[in-house]
């Protein structure tokens, strides 16, 4: 638990900030965790020299760390390697930390100039963070960079110390952080210092502080809180904070204007689409008129829509399939264009016959069930299974058969077989089926396909 009075911690903690990195040398603020391991943020030659100097200081004071805990940022990995090489620390004592030592996310300000933006964040925390650091949040970004308050970073640091105090006892632990705010914030938590003053204890690149505890952290705060350098940094940060927030407002206004422009162009796009649909309907009407189809109607105006009569191919296919299945059950004549009926001998009977009048059919016997009602049961015929005589020799014949049979389904001439009605299905002549199919197709093409309502709704949307 924070704060931590003297003697409450089980280990001795030395805190270090990694040396100067490539992005810091270029003056770029980088806080997105996804890019922490990029080699462009690795230690520079100056940064390596800074870490070596810190190692020499520890060795001069007889400090031999038993654990080196470092962040997975590229510069921290390099710094840990320098510590291991310079101080002869075994690799089993170099322990990575995956998330708890990550820097605070700067949100929309990530990637901006380091010197001025960092000063603006300091001024933001001094003015808004409060004692627990719950306020003072940078603006959000859309690239995955978190926009965090100090309190959210406190949660990670509390988890870090909980793990260390649980795993180790009586050890000398060196913590290598990628930024200057994280070790300063941990120092404030140990000493019980208000978090709005965190940046007064900020670490410089390569800076090392030995045996951080409540007493020496408070003493250092008293020295730095009123120093000219800290006061000047806060003053500069206040000016930069105003400029950043003004820039943010301008970006929001620009986004709103772009959104308004896109809304204005949408009705024009809708009108263009409607004009194209009208022209398509007129073209279809002229094409149908050339084929002898009349009175289908065209779109003359968005406010006056007549019956379009466009066919539904999927529905036609469904009706055709139903008709084709029916032809497999009902025998058809080979050629009855003259309207004459075939004799029963030419139509093979099915294996199960419901009509006793059919040639070769077995008589239907009845028996009484448990309720006393008579139940008719068709008897098996000894004759082999009869195959339909309408085997098609080409796809054109099959399509013609589907058209003719679909007409019978639509007109009700052929329906589902009712097992309780024992009668033959009437055989319709070929000419009658063709006439019925043409009539059904004409009636179907005259139906409303919903285009009127759709175009009317489009016109209403444009009027609104």
């Amino acid at each position: 638990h924070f704060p931590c009075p003297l003697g409450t911690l089980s280990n001795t903690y030395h805190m270090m900030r990694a040396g100067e990195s490539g992005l810091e040398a270029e003056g770029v603020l980088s806080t997105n965790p996804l890019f922490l391991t990029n080699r462009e943020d690795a230690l520079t030659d100056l940064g390596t020299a800074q870490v070596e100097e810190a190692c020499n200081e520890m060795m001069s004071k007889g400090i031999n760390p038993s654990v080196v805990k470092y962040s997975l940022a590229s510069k921290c990995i390099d710094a840990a390697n320098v510590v291991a090489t310079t101080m002869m620390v075994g690799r089993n004592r170099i322990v990575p930390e995956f998330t708890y030592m990550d820097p605070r996310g700067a949100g929309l300000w990530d990637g901006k100039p380091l010197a001025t933006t960092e000063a603006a964040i300091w001024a933001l925390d001094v003015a808004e963070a409060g004692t627990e650091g719950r306020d003072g949040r940078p603006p959000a970004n859309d690239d995955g960079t978190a926009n965090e308050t100090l309190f959210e970073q406190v949660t990670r640091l509390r988890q870090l110390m909980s793990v260390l105090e649980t795993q180790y006892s009586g050890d000398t632990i060196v913590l290598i952080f990628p930024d200057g705010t994280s070790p300063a914030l941990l120092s404030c938590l140990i000493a019980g210092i208000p978090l709005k003053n965190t940046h007064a204890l900020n670490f410089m690149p390569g800076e090392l502080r030995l045996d951080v505890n409540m007493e020496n952290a408070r003493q250092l705060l008293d020295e730095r809180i009123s120093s000219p350098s800290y006061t000047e940094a806060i003053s500069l940060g206040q000016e930069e904070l105003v400029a950043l927030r003004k820039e943010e407002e301008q970006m929001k206004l620009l986004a709103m204007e772009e959104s308004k422009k896109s809304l204005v162009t949408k009705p024009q796009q809708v009108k263009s689409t409607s004009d194209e649909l009208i022209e398509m309907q007129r073209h279809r009407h002229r094409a149908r008129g050339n084929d002898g189809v009349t009175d289908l109607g065209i779109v003359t105006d968005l406010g006056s829509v007549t019956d379009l009569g466009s066919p539904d191919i999927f529905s036609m296919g469904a009706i055709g399939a139903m008709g084709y299945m029916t032809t497999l059950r009902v025998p058809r004549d080979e050629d009855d264009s003259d309207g004459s009926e075939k004799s029963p001998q030419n139509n093979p009977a099915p294996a199960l016959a419901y009509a006793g009048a059919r040639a070769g059919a077995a008589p239907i016997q009845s028996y009484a069930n448990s309720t006393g009602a008579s139940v008719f049961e068709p008897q098996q015929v000894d004759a082999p299974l009869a195959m339909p005589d309408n085997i098609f020799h080409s796809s054109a014949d099959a399509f013609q058969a589907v058209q003719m049979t679909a007409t019978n389904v639509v007109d009700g001439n052929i329906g589902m077989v009712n097992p309780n009605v024992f009668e033959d299905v009437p055989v319709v002549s070929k000419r009658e089926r063709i006439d019925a199919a043409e009539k059904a197709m004409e009636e179907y093409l005259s139906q409303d396909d919903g285009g009127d309502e759709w175009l009317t709704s489009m016109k209403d949307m444009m009027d609104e």
Side-chain angles (χ1 to χ4, degrees), residues 192-210:
I193 298 173
L195 299 188
K196 66 179 181 179
N197 298 324
T198 294
H199 302 291
L201 301 180
N202 190 69
F203 281 59
M204 299 300 292
E207 182 178 353
L208 171 69
R209 295 180 193 168
L210 302 175

Side-chain angles (χ1 to χ4, degrees), residues 13 35 79 104 119 123 149 170 191 246 282 290 378 411 422:
Y13 294 96
F35 307 124
R104 172 188 181 185
T149 62
K246 184 177 180 180
R282 287 174 177 169
N290 295 336
D411 293 343
F422 307 101

Side-chain angles (χ1 to χ4, degrees), residues 108-127:
L108 189 63
W109 297 340
D110 184 74
K112 290 186 175 296
L114 176 62
T116 55
T117 308
E118 189 176 57
I121 295 175
W122 290 16
L124 175 68
D125 291 336
V126 169

Side-chain angles (χ1 to χ4, degrees), residues 139 215 293 305 321 359:
E215 183 178 349
V293 182
V305 184

Side-chain angles (χ1 to χ4, degrees), residues 176-341:
I176 303 178
F177 291 91
D179 64 323
T181 300
S182 298
L185 180 59
L186 182 56
S187 300
C188 289
L189 292 173
I190 293 174
I193 298 173
L195 299 188
K196 66 179 181 179
N197 298 324
T198 294
H199 302 291
L201 301 180
N202 190 69
F203 281 59
M204 299 300 292
E207 182 178 353
L208 171 69
R209 295 180 193 168
L210 302 175
D211 190 16
V212 177
N213 54 52
M214 177 180 286
E215 183 178 349
N216 57 27
R218 290 185 175 180
Q219 182 180 355
L220 182 61
L221 177 66
D222 294 339
E223 295 175 1
R224 291 194 173 185
I225 192 69
S226 57
S227 64
S229 59
Y230 178 69
T231 305
E232 182 181 353
I234 296 301
S235 177
L236 173 65
Q238 291 172 347
E239 297 176 1
E240 184 64 21
L241 181 61
V242 172
L244 288 174
R245 285 179 168 172
K246 184 177 180 180
E247 179 182 352
E248 181 184 356
E249 291 296 329
Q250 292 176 350
M251 293 176 61
K252 290 181 179 179
L253 292 176
L254 182 61
M256 291 177 61
E257 292 178 359
E258 293 293 335
S259 178
K260 290 180 180 179
K261 289 181 180 179
S262 62
L263 291 176
V264 170
T265 57
K266 282 184 179 180
Q268 298 177 357
Q269 296 175 355
V270 171
K271 186 177 187 303
S272 176
T273 303
S274 301
D275 294 340
E276 293 176 0
L277 290 173
I278 292 172
E279 185 62 27
M280 289 174 61
Q281 295 294 341
R282 287 174 177 169
H283 179 72
R284 290 166 59 186
H285 173 68
R286 288 194 295 267
R288 289 171 181 168
N290 295 336
D291 292 339
V293 182
T294 58
D295 197 25
L296 293 179
I298 61 172
V299 181
T300 57
D301 195 318
L302 287 176
S304 175
V305 184
T306 60
D307 184 14
L308 303 176
S310 59
D312 188 343
I313 298 176
F314 295 102
S315 300
M316 292 174 61
I319 295 175
M322 292 170 58
Y324 176 69
M325 294 301 295
T326 309
T327 61
L328 297 180
R329 294 169 46 197
V330 181
R332 294 179 52 207
D333 50 344
E334 294 180 358
D335 186 9
D336 53 358
S337 57
D338 56 355
S340 61
E341 295 288 338

Side-chain angles (χ1 to χ4, degrees), residues 71-93:
S71 167
L72 277 186
S74 293
K75 52 189 172 184
C76 292
I77 295 175
D78 293 346
N81 289 330
V82 172
V83 172
T85 302
T86 305
M87 303 186 67
M88 303 297 291
V89 179
R91 289 292 172 179
N92 61 325
R93 294 186 288 165

